[in-house]
Amino acid sequence: MFRYLIRRLLAAAVIMLVITTITFFIFFALPSNPALLACGKTCSPSRLAEIKHSLGLDQSYLTQYWEFLKGLVVGRDYGDQSVRIHCGAPCLGISFQTDTPVLTTLLQDFPADLSLGLGAAVAFLILGVGLGTVAAVRRGRAADKAAVGLALFGVSVQIYFIGLLLLYLFVDKFQILPTSGYTPFTEDPAGWFQGLILPWSTLVIVYLAMYTRLTRSSMLEVFSEDYMRTARAKGLPAATVVLKHGLRAAITPIITIFGMDVGSLIGGSAVITESVFGINGIGKLAVDSVQNSDLPVILGTTLFAATFVVLANVVVDLVYGLVDPRVRLA
Amino acid sequence: MSVSTSPQPADVTPAPAPFLDVRDLRVHFPTEDGLVKSVDGVSFTLEKGRTLGIVGESGSGKSVTSLALLGLHKGTRAQVSGEIWLEGRELIALPEAGMRALRGRTVSMIFQDPLSALHPFFTVGSQIAEAYRVHHKVSKKEAKDRAVEMLKRVGIPQPERRVRDYPHQFSGGMRQRAMIAMSLVCDPALLIADEPTTALDVTVQAQILDLIRDLQEEFGSAVVIITHDLGVVSDIADDILVMYGGRRIEYGTTREVLKQPQHPYTWGLLQSMPHLGGDVGQRLNPIPGTPPSLINLPDGCSFHPRCAYKGWVTEGRCTAERPELRLVSGSERHLAACHLSDDAKQEIRGGAGPDDRDAAAARTAR
């Protein structure tokens, strides 16, 4: 088990290195001039050269790449003698816009995404698996059609539509909830919860469809298995047959998708939701950095998100071993 | 129906009711292509301590019959009619909750392929213990002990250790033993074994059959064994019911059916089996053709398209008129559904083959 974990983590590290390489060259090899962007509107040629040098942009791509990798491991220093910015390991670079290390900004915005992503994920997993199970058990009847129809509605409406609709209804019209947004949990747990209810609901509505359908089809497949007939033949109550014997077997494909969804949500993929509800998260950071051509931040957010997806996959593999005894973790 | 509707006169002592009495059982499945009559009017009786073998090809309705005995068609689209009397209780009209209390406790089942019939994610021990705990108010520990005891009883070595294994860690034969342990954990009065040896190595098959027989003697249960293998039933069954196209075509004691088979289909089943004592070079005689569609059974005798002897019967009778089950002359309860006359059967069994049709025709003309 332990050796398996080490092996998986090593493999994950290799994947991360590949992603780093590809992202680095896509962004830095593009025909854009980061120094010019960092320089601002009033820019003299000498100032431009200075900035180019301080950012290390006057060196070859390979050298820059090497410096970047070195920075990830041991950290690096930017600037000249007069202005020095230290970027500790793992250094993802310095924002052209704010001159702060990218990682610092990322970690500032991360709790918002963690709260938003994890909260929504738990909710849509439970609701989706629940609805999907009901749909499978009541296959072809009204409850099945209602569940599938509801899910279809969720996947058809756009986030900005459903988000704005929820905001209008609950905040403006009926004034049940305060204006949405992110309040750190440590400051005000109640405010944290209230501010996230609508963003969570929006994500749940959008993600529910897939989980309902996935659970439904996976469940129906399991229902036709011989061991389900055995469970009934033992005299087990229908609920035990479905929830214990059925769900246990049907959950495996759902875990796979769920792991990746959680990873990317935490890593900032809920961009539209963030911006609709005014949450300063990693997704918004990424969009802003693209608008400003703030390359180190774009690179940083990409790698950050990738890390979570890769880690989520490692966790999924470990959970697989716990759920299915036939998967040997050796 | 007559039993449930007409009250018994008080002064007449009724004959003791059989332990299991299946009357005119029908299981029909409505589909888009039509009504699939998987089981169409099957009746049989079985006493405690006795074994009935139900024999037939795939699709003859054997397994559907056995699932009906467990009430597993309840809550599905299947239309089940007829009567199943078990210890004086009628099971078809019984609601699901009442049937559930009997499943696994009074009636239990051994399935064909133990690998797919056991849940892959739970240990063998927990699956056996679960079957026990459904019907008995015992602690987890007691149920676990019971599971170990059952594994030991069905001959699994080191049961204390094996009880924690998963099905995939067992060999095929061991898995079927575990399946048997699970089905016997509540001492059922009726055990149904649906092709219990089909998925197993030949060397293991005999062991499993011996085990079922030994356990039956120990528990005194009634056993229904479903198989396509006449070799299996000849070993273990007291009675044999041969099914074809969802109907009974021959029914009698094992001795009668195997020694004096009356139906060409039964002859075919017997001839398609190799004999240990027979000539090595002798060819097996498989029954030509395939089992009939259960939606559109052939008119008349449903076996007639595959029957080599329909020329022995007056022209067209086999294709027009469905043969009734008739008592075989000289027997008390040996039934067969075939138009062939006793003389014709004797002649055919005496060595004449289907090629002698001309002779038969000549005889009819005379």
Side-chain angles (χ1 to χ4, degrees):
Chain A
M1 178 78 181
F2 187 69
R3 277 184 57 198
Y4 174 82
L5 181 62
I6 299 285
R7 264 218 326 259
R8 288 289 303 154
L9 285 175
L10 280 177
V14 173
I15 294 170
M16 284 310 299
L17 186 69
V18 172
I19 294 174
T20 310
T21 313
I22 295 171
T23 340
F24 185 90
F25 282 104
I26 286 177
F27 287 131
F28 276 82
L30 281 178
S32 72
N33 191 341
L36 195 64
L37 290 163
C39 190
K41 274 178 186 151
T42 53
C43 195
S44 63
S46 63
R47 175 87 185 111
L48 190 64
E50 219 170 85
I51 288 173
K52 238 183 180 167
H53 179 70
S54 76
L55 291 177
L57 294 172
D58 49 354
Q59 281 153 323
S60 75
Y61 288 138
L62 277 179
T63 320
Q64 285 185 52
Y65 178 59
W66 177 243
E67 287 291 324
F68 180 78
L69 285 186
K70 224 165 71 181
L72 274 178
V73 181
V74 296
R76 70 198 272 203
D77 287 311
Y78 283 95
D80 42 31
Q81 267 67 34
S82 53
V83 197
R84 270 196 102 75
I85 303 168
H86 178 69
C87 174
C91 176
L92 289 171
I94 298 280
S95 164
F96 295 159
Q97 295 287 316
T98 58
D99 283 349
T100 46
V102 173
L103 192 66
T104 314
T105 321
L106 280 173
L107 290 180
Q108 253 166 32
D109 290 344
F110 179 56
D113 284 282
L114 191 66
S115 307
L116 179 65
L118 219 51
V122 169
F124 66 62
L125 179 70
I126 293 172
L127 284 173
V129 169
L131 269 181
T133 306
V134 170
V137 172
R138 314 286 300 173
R139 179 186 194 180
R141 318 231 192 123
D144 176 23
K145 285 171 184 150
V148 172
L150 200 72
L152 204 65
F153 166 78
V155 81
S156 315
V157 294
Q158 297 296 326
I159 294 180
Y160 43 79
F161 173 73
I162 199 82
L164 289 176
L165 189 71
L166 290 178
L167 269 181
Y168 169 71
L169 286 178
F170 290 98
V171 179
D172 293 341
K173 188 149 172 123
F174 301 116
Q175 303 190 338
I176 301 168
L177 291 169
T179 315
S180 289
Y182 179 71
T183 320
F185 184 77
T186 43
E187 277 174 28
D188 176 11
W192 171 83
F193 187 76
Q194 284 185 333
L196 283 171
I197 287 181
L198 292 185
W200 281 337
S201 309
T202 308
L203 284 178
V204 166
I205 289 171
V206 171
Y207 276 84
L208 196 57
M210 196 175 59
Y211 284 86
T212 304
R213 302 203 131 210
L214 197 65
T215 308
R216 183 178 179 275
S217 65
S218 178
M219 263 301 199
L220 285 177
E221 204 172 300
V222 168
F223 282 171
S224 65
E225 293 281 353
D226 284 357
Y227 53 77
M228 294 297 284
R229 191 180 58 189
T230 309
R232 285 187 70 207
K234 280 193 216 177
L236 293 175
T240 314
V241 174
V242 172
L243 296 179
K244 186 180 170 191
H245 291 246
L247 203 53
R248 175 71 185 267
I251 202 80
T252 17
I254 300 163
I255 290 173
T256 315
I257 309 285
F258 183 67
M260 285 195 274
D261 277 346
V262 171
S264 66
L265 275 176
I266 291 177
S269 71
V271 190
I272 305 174
T273 312
E274 282 176 25
S275 60
V276 167
F277 293 99
I279 296 169
N280 289 319
I282 290 167
K284 192 164 174 296
L285 181 69
V287 173
D288 290 348
S289 61
V290 170
Q291 274 168 355
N292 299 328
S293 297
D294 197 346
L295 294 182
V297 181
I298 300 175
L299 188 57
T301 48
T302 311
L303 290 184
F304 197 72
T307 311
F308 278 102
V309 175
V310 169
L311 276 183
N313 272 310
V314 176
V315 174
V316 163
D317 281 350
L318 291 179
V319 172
Y320 251 46
L322 294 179
V323 172
D324 188 345
R326 289 171 302 182
V327 178
R328 296 248 129 246
L329 301 182
Chain B
M1 280 300 151
S2 61
V3 168
S4 52
T5 49
S6 64
Q8 289 278 344
D11 52 344
V12 178
T13 33
F19 167 71
L20 173 69
D21 190 356
V22 176
R23 296 179 194 171
D24 197 28
L25 177 70
R26 287 165 205 270
V27 185
H28 296 177
F29 297 91
T31 66
E32 284 180 8
D33 299 324
L35 195 64
V36 178
K37 296 178 178 174
S38 293
V39 179
D40 204 24
V42 166
S43 307
F44 57 86
T45 59
L46 185 60
E47 294 296 345
K48 272 200 150 171
R50 308 281 285 179
T51 300
L52 169 72
I54 302 184
V55 185
E57 287 165 298
S58 332
S60 60
K62 309 170 297 203
S63 294
V64 176
T65 305
S66 66
L67 293 178
L69 292 177
L70 269 174
L72 285 180
H73 296 301
K74 289 181 201 290
T76 69
R77 290 193 304 168
Q79 301 161 355
V80 185
S81 64
E83 294 164 48
I84 299 174
W85 291 90
L86 182 74
E87 292 185 308
R89 209 163 0 174
E90 207 286 307
L91 303 187
I92 287 176
L94 203 62
E96 168 67 16
M99 193 65 229
R100 190 172 69 70
L102 296 181
R103 274 185 211 130
R105 178 171 201 154
T106 311
V107 192
S108 75
M109 188 147 174
I110 302 168
F111 291 101
Q112 177 172 358
D113 179 3
L115 182 59
S116 58
L118 289 168
H119 201 296
F121 297 174
F122 297 109
T123 61
V124 168
S126 71
Q127 295 188 53
I128 298 174
E130 186 185 36
Y132 192 61
R133 288 192 78 197
V134 190
H135 300 293
H136 298 85
K137 284 205 169 97
V138 293
S139 69
K140 276 199 169 155
K141 174 79 178 64
E142 284 170 283
K144 203 80 170 184
D145 291 346
R146 173 86 181 167
V148 173
E149 186 198 321
M150 286 311 294
L151 285 182
K152 196 169 172 180
R153 220 135 149 201
V154 297
I156 287 178
Q158 295 180 280
E160 296 84 4
R161 197 175 61 77
R162 300 294 275 180
V163 81
R164 288 193 300 272
D165 279 354
Y166 289 94
H168 71 271
Q169 291 165 305
F170 274 50
S171 69
M174 288 291 153
R175 243 178 255 141
Q176 193 57 294
R177 283 170 191 268
M179 184 85 219
I180 291 171
M182 190 167 90
S183 59
L184 291 179
V185 73
C186 295
D187 296 345
L190 172 62
L191 178 67
I192 304 160
D194 187 356
E195 310 233 7
T197 57
T198 306
L200 303 178
D201 280 351
V202 181
T203 48
V204 185
Q205 286 185 3
Q207 294 175 13
I208 294 294
L209 289 178
D210 282 348
L211 177 66
I212 293 177
R213 190 162 37 199
D214 290 350
L215 292 168
Q216 176 183 24
E217 268 168 31
E218 197 181 328
F219 292 96
S221 5
V223 173
V224 174
I225 191 159
I226 290 165
T227 179
H228 59 263
D229 186 349
L230 276 172
V232 167
V233 285
S234 67
D235 257 6
I236 198 170
D238 300 303
D239 290 340
I240 289 180
L241 170 65
V242 183
M243 285 182 71
Y244 188 80
R247 296 189 184 125
R248 295 187 295 175
I249 55 156
E250 187 158 1
Y251 179 38
T253 62
T254 302
R255 198 183 167 75
E256 285 168 335
V257 173
L258 294 184
K259 292 273 180 208
Q260 282 128 22
Q262 297 294 318
H263 198 286
Y265 178 63
T266 317
W267 300 343
L269 286 178
L270 285 165
Q271 279 174 9
S272 54
M273 254 179 22
H275 293 277
L276 267 187
D279 181 5
V280 179
Q282 193 189 344
R283 283 183 168 275
L284 291 178
N285 269 323
I287 305 170
T290 51
S293 146
L294 294 172
I295 295 175
N296 289 311
L297 272 182
D299 286 337
C301 173
S302 50
F303 184 62
H304 83 255
R306 301 169 71 187
C307 185
Y309 304 103
K310 50 180 178 284
W312 289 68
V313 176
T314 318
E315 199 58 54
R317 210 173 149 209
C318 287
T319 52
E321 183 188 333
R322 173 156 28 129
E324 293 298 318
L325 270 176
R326 281 175 303 149
L327 207 56
V328 174
S329 53
S331 166
E332 278 174 27
R333 41 179 298 247
H334 187 184
L335 298 167
C338 182
H339 287 311
L340 283 174
S341 66
D342 288 351
D343 290 348
K345 281 175 190 163
Q346 209 124 48
E347 208 167 317
I348 294 164
R349 296 290 288 169
D355 297 332
D356 298 332
R357 202 171 303 153
D358 297 338
R363 197 174 40 250
T364 321
R366 197 171 54 210

